[in-house]
Amino acid sequence: MAPTVPSAAKSASPSQPSGKSEVADLKQQLRQLAGSRAPDADDQRRDVFKRVISCMTAGIDVSAAFGEMVLCSATSDVVTKKMCYLYVGAHARAHPDLALLTINFLQRDCRDQDPTIRGLALRSLCSLRVPNFVEYLVTPLTTGLKDPSAYVRMIAAVGAAKLYHISATACIDADLPASLKALMLSDPDAQVVANCLHSLQEIWTLEAANSEAAAREIETLYSKPVVFYLLNKIKEFSEWAQCLVLELASKFLPSDNNEIFDIMNLLEDRLQHANGAVVLSTIKVFLHLTMSMTDVHQQVYERIKAPLLTLVGAGSPEQSYAVLCHLHLLVMRAPMLFSSDYKSFYCQFSDPSYVKKLKLEMLTAIANESNTYEIVTELCEYAGNVDVPIARESIRAVGKIALQQYDVNAIVDRLLQFLEMDKDYVTAETLVLVKDLLRKYPQWSHDCIAVVGNISSKNIQEPKGKAALIWMLGEYSQDMHDALYVLESLVENWDEEHSPEVRLHLLTAVMKCFFKRPPETQKALGATLAAGLSDTHQDVHDRALFYYRLLQYDPAVAERVVNPPKQAVSVFADTQSSEMKDRIFDEFNSLSVVYQKVCSIEILSMDTIYWIL
């Protein structure tokens, strides 16, 4: 039998180095290549550098090779330099003493004839993020902002913001914000202009907390000359930069209607842009500028329908979801906006569940007298969906539509048909909705009770559905002959019912039944109160004790408390206040719309993006 090979002796994959021995081997090879002038030295350095980066990717500490990496950085190969800069940026903050070795070759590369190397070196120099190296950054940044290459100027513009985060004093003392502002208004390259704008917003917004001058500078960004200058160049910008400029335009305060129409004319073609972020940013500008112009604001709603519906149908599921979130927000403010386009929100077989759920919410929101029949018919088809959560949501959607309509005859009939489906979750969801419908439309009690009375509580497993059935048995016990017997069977199986919600409803239902049918219910009431008083759940015990003492005090008072005269519920509480919706609308085209939560902490910096750039 062949001996087992120890795990340590197994050969390591080149893409996943083994550890210390591999790092020591890399250091030795780097030393040999440091001063080599062989014809194939550059190729060998590139191969070794790839192995070093592979070690970093595998999570191996290769900081011990820092000195050797710096010695091998003297090469004209751009790919090798990129890997060297990546290595230096990853280990500089953890090893500031070793990072000092990189200053000389980075500063030297900042003066290289090749603009690509100058830009890469400047970006790496700013990415060291070591406070002690601030003095080495100012001069390369100042020179970089005046570099003849647009690529270097673009890197320098972002580098100024990086310097501010390392040392705000050094950035302000070097007057870099003023240089950025001048470059933003004069540079012919659109990406340089965009980077300058982003860095200025970052610096001045943070600085405004301590400086009135910075606050005034922020106001100049929202002035007419700057805004119109950027809008006139918007076609030259990248998609990211266009969104940046459009966000700036949304905060602009026009002096008259002519300026509003000028901006809208400039941005009209942005509504047909292929990028969803640009379209949403443009819509935000249109909506915010016309907020005080009611007629124009309504026309804007009509204008943005086609672009939004195009984005919903043409983009990825993730984009469709984000756009649908914004559509839902708009429908909450203008319910009639998409009432004629309800078919655009029918669920497709290929839609993921999160998109289907949001489409159901849209169908619920846009339902009105003209399209209710078609929408409810479509939703009823989803009730038999193999996707159980979507089936549940479709039933809830039908119920919500019924609660907000006046003519609910057909809808109630559809809901009662759901009770005939032999599916537990369908029955449970339908019972909950029927209970709410009876609270708002008591006149439908006769038809509903005729169907509900045929349902056996043994066939309902979900607590909410069973609780809804028990509520109806207690509320309409005088019209349902078997109601008392169903309640008695549930009381007999009290210990088998684990849900406190069902027990609480059962206590109240038996009390209601007692006041409507006293002789028959007296024995069941005693058994129910006894079971409730001995229940281990605190809420159940307290309610049973409350009912018991209330009956002892005065049965007439107990009847007024437990079984008051029925009053139809006119309005159900909304889950979100109108004030919250308005605040979310102010944060249009942001994650606040997707999460349906207002941004409580304003995120002023985008350090991660800066370091990547």
Side-chain angles (χ1 to χ4, degrees), residues 107-148:
Q107 287 185 324
R108 182 179 67 250
D109 287 349
C110 286
R111 299 187 296 270
D112 196 276
Q113 293 182 354
D114 188 345
T116 302
I117 294 179
R118 293 202 302 271
L120 289 172
L122 182 58
R123 182 173 65 179
S124 300
L125 189 62
C126 296
S127 298
L128 295 178
R129 290 173 285 176
V130 180
N132 296 336
F133 296 170
V134 169
E135 58 182 307
Y136 303 109
L137 303 181
V138 176
T139 301
L141 278 176
T142 305
T143 305
L145 292 173
K146 302 175 183 177
D147 197 277

Side-chain angles (χ1 to χ4, degrees), residues 398-468:
V398 174
K400 290 178 183 177
I401 293 174
L403 292 174
Q404 67 190 23
Q405 299 292 326
Y406 294 102
D407 185 11
V408 296
N409 300 359
I411 302 179
V412 172
D413 292 339
R414 294 292 183 90
L415 283 174
L416 295 179
Q417 289 175 8
F418 289 156
L419 295 176
E420 299 175 2
M421 297 177 64
D422 189 19
K423 294 183 178 180
D424 177 60
Y425 62 89
V426 174
T427 304
E429 292 292 342
T430 305
L431 286 173
V432 174
L433 293 175
V434 170
K435 181 194 74 171
D436 291 338
L437 281 173
L438 291 177
R439 292 173 63 197
K440 186 172 184 179
Y441 307 109
Q443 66 271 22
W444 285 99
S445 60
H446 184 270
D447 293 338
C448 293
I449 288 170
V451 178
V452 172
N454 297 324
I455 299 176
S456 174
S457 61
K458 296 179 180 179
N459 297 331
I460 306 173
Q461 303 299 324
E462 297 190 15
K464 288 186 177 181
K466 187 176 291 188

